[in-house]
Amino acid sequence: MAKKKEPKNKKSVSNEEFNLYQVAMGQFEKAAALMKLNPVVHTILSQPKNEIIVNFPVKMDDGSFKLFKGYRIQHNNALGPYKGGIRFHPEVALDEVKALAAWMTWKCALVNIPFGGAKGGIKFRPWEHSQDEMMRITRRFTFALGNNIGPEFDIPAPDVGTNEQIMVWMMDTYISLRNASDAHASKHIVTGKSLSSGGSLGRKKATGQGVFYMIDQWAKDNKLDLSKSTFSVQGYGNVGSNAAMILSKTGAKLVAVQDHKGCIYNKDGINAVKLAEYVKNNGSVDGFSGAKKFGKNDFWKTKVDIIIPAALENQITPEVANMIDAKLIAEGANGPTSKEGEDILLKKGITVLPDILANSGGVIVSYFEWVQNKKSEHWDLEEVDFKLKKLILRAYEKTRDTVKEYKTDWRTGAYIVAIRRLEKIYLERGIFP
Ligand code: GLU
């Protein structure tokens, strides 16, 4: 029987076969082999410490009850309390959250903040629920997690599908279940809160700001004049829109944007600020008057200097990588590039600044928020941005040196820096008993 021709747009790995944890472990194994990681530490780091799954009922607005499945994966806490976001999305699954939790461990170790790695989520479609239902789902999930989270133990934050409001509900629920005398001392149970409820200035834009610092430094190192450069962004949520608005200030031209509903293009440049306003009101870039509509493949084929994938994982598949004509990919999202996709990009001479480095600005400022809460302080924006720049650039430089030392790619270089820190601690402390 003649083989059916593959549809052009099909991912090389079907969704059933695609396993994000295997992708994350593949990256880990590559670095572990190159750096000759201690075998005991290797074994410890290859699985998360705790995998928590909770099923909990929530009352819907119409009086019916629905059962929800929530996850919290605590990957590692050798460097400090578990830390990582909470994702609300229909694709949330155990192996996805395990991968995302592992990435948090490497991310925090790489940028040298005293946190371990965790991730959580609920598998559902948030856009199908009212504000009241969202509140009850969030509160019931927080209740179900109980003492598995804590301000000195495991600290959640926003991720895909969650925001400041969700964090404030989590904080309020956690605090309400404790003694009144502990209430204020527990504010740092979550980060990414609204300013009025104890959040930090600069946290909302932090991931996008960090993406910008990374692009800016790479451009300086590689003599790319940002004011004459072009870029495209996939996903125009918090990370994509902030990165685009900040990068645009250099004179760099945003020429193409893709999101879940459509793609837009303007060779003369898209106004990043106006687009952010449009998305806030319309939920998508689709229909924005300052650009013309075009196809999904055209988005990837558009020649630009820089691409910022800031949507979901597994977007740059081999097919997509073959279409790309760019100098730099700065990963705003976690896991946007598949293993095979990355191999193609590297062969083409395209640099990939990996997620654990490029999008680490979010957790860095989460750390600042946590410290401010503990000390009852409020830092001004200049201080937050200055400290963020210092930490993220230090991680960039360490990674750059490691890339040279091991003659490897940036992802593997970043992993080596992160894993070395963990290896050192394990070897110093030994394994109990
Ligand atoms: N969800 C973000 C990330 O993937 C932020 C995590 C945090 O601030 O704890 O890095």
Side-chain angles (χ1 to χ4, degrees):
M1 211 172 83
K3 241 179 133 187
K4 266 195 187 164
K5 226 178 140 194
E6 288 235 322
K8 264 207 172 122
N9 219 356
K10 201 177 167 245
K11 289 176 183 167
S12 70
V13 192
S14 75
N15 275 340
E16 299 87 68
E17 281 170 60
F18 174 74
N19 181 305
L20 201 64
Y21 193 60
Q22 279 170 15
V23 175
M25 286 321 289
Q27 298 168 349
F28 170 73
E29 292 299 346
K30 185 174 174 187
L34 198 58
M35 67 187 278
K36 299 190 175 54
L37 175 64
N38 175 284
V40 179
V41 180
H42 184 286
T43 307
I44 295 170
L45 293 177
S46 61
Q47 283 293 334
K49 275 202 171 177
N50 305 314
E51 299 177 23
I52 301 147
I53 303 181
V54 290
N55 293 295
F56 54 95
V58 180
K59 193 175 189 173
M60 298 291 102
D61 292 342
D62 65 3
S64 67
F65 281 85
K66 242 181 137 172
L67 198 65
F68 289 82
K69 190 180 277 293
Y71 301 84
R72 186 70 180 168
I73 305 298
Q74 296 167 335
H75 181 264
N76 191 276
N77 63 348
L79 292 174
Y82 298 109
K83 184 83 191 81
I86 299 281
R87 180 173 287 207
F88 287 178
H89 196 271
E91 304 277 304
V92 167
L94 181 61
D95 276 357
E96 184 203 47
V97 189
K98 277 173 70 175
L100 292 162
W103 283 328
M104 287 310 301
T105 299
W106 317 139
K107 201 183 293 186
C108 294
L110 170 64
V111 299
N112 208 10
I113 54 176
F115 285 140
K119 203 78 167 202
I122 308 177
K123 183 182 174 59
F124 78 116
R125 297 171 191 277
W127 54 88
E128 287 177 358
H129 293 271
S130 68
Q131 180 85 343
D132 273 0
E133 287 179 356
M134 290 296 282
M135 181 182 74
R136 289 196 294 274
I137 293 165
T138 303
R139 288 193 185 279
R140 236 351 255 259
F141 178 49
T142 312
F143 175 75
L145 288 175
N147 285 329
N148 288 305
I149 55 171
E152 305 293 333
F153 177 60
D154 182 357
I155 306 125
D159 195 77
V160 174
T162 56
N163 54 26
E164 295 180 335
Q165 177 63 76
I166 303 287
M167 293 306 114
V168 173
W169 285 329
M170 284 193 88
M171 177 190 78
D172 185 71
T173 309
Y174 183 86
I175 283 177
S176 302
L177 295 168
R178 261 131 205 105
N179 291 334
S181 55
D182 286 344
H184 283 286
S186 302
K187 257 191 185 163
H188 54 305
I189 171 63
V190 288
T191 58
K193 302 180 287 288
S194 66
L195 269 181
S196 35
S197 289
S200 173
L201 282 166
R203 173 60 185 88
K204 209 168 175 184
K205 71 171 175 91
T207 311
Q209 183 73 57
V211 169
F212 168 72
Y213 286 142
M214 296 294 86
I215 292 172
D216 186 44
Q217 191 55 48
W218 186 87
K220 282 182 182 128
D221 288 352
N222 292 278
K223 308 207 169 16
L224 172 70
D225 181 354
L226 282 183
S227 70
K228 295 196 179 88
S229 70
T230 54
F231 69 104
S232 62
V233 179
Q234 188 204 28
Y236 215 71
N238 182 41
V239 178
S241 62
N242 277 299
M245 288 190 283
I246 299 166
L247 185 52
S248 289
K249 285 188 192 156
T250 64
K253 212 189 279 172
L254 171 63
V255 291
V257 184
Q258 183 193 91
D259 74 4
H260 60 288
K261 260 182 117 181
C263 301
I264 57 169
Y265 172 77
N266 186 342
K267 69 170 179 11
D268 300 322
I270 298 167
N271 184 316
V273 177
K274 282 197 180 137
L275 183 62
E277 270 160 35
Y278 179 84
V279 172
K280 212 182 262 170
N281 299 325
N282 297 277
S284 164
V285 300
D286 201 37
F288 179 62
S289 60
K292 67 172 201 225
K293 214 178 158 91
F294 76 160
K296 199 176 170 191
N297 286 350
D298 297 327
F299 169 81
W300 293 114
K301 282 181 189 158
T302 304
K303 182 177 160 64
V304 281
D305 295 304
I306 304 151
I307 301 179
I308 305 173
L312 288 170
E313 51 261 15
N314 196 32
Q315 299 300 302
I316 305 183
T317 57
E319 285 80 358
V320 166
N322 278 321
M323 293 180 213
I324 288 178
D325 184 357
K327 297 187 175 81
L328 177 69
I329 312 275
E331 294 185 335
N334 289 310
T337 312
S338 77
K339 156 92 178 70
E340 298 78 10
E342 183 157 9
D343 290 344
I344 293 171
L345 295 177
L346 295 176
K347 252 189 222 137
K348 285 168 119 177
I350 300 170
T351 303
V352 181
L353 291 182
D355 42 13
I356 59 169
L357 176 66
N359 74 31
S360 63
V363 75
I364 293 176
V365 179
S366 272
Y367 165 56
F368 298 158
E369 177 176 335
W370 187 75
V371 172
Q372 287 172 78
N373 288 164
K374 276 164 75 95
K375 295 165 119 182
S376 295
E377 283 183 6
H378 292 287
W379 301 350
D380 57 31
L381 187 58
E382 288 71 34
E383 188 173 352
V384 171
D385 281 349
F386 175 78
K387 288 187 159 128
L388 164 61
K389 191 171 179 182
K390 201 164 133 186
L391 281 193
I392 203 167
L393 279 182
R394 209 177 276 164
Y396 174 96
E397 281 155 16
K398 267 240 153 215
T399 305
R400 187 180 57 199
D401 294 347
T402 311
V403 166
K404 276 196 194 125
E405 187 186 335
Y406 286 86
K407 297 187 179 50
T408 189
D409 55 276
W410 278 76
R411 189 182 313 281
T412 309
Y415 264 72
I416 292 176
V417 176
I419 298 170
R420 271 274 182 260
R421 283 209 172 106
L422 287 153
E423 181 187 44
K424 187 159 193 274
I425 288 221
Y426 272 108
L427 296 181
E428 268 173 25
R429 284 168 54 168
I431 316 294
F432 177 82

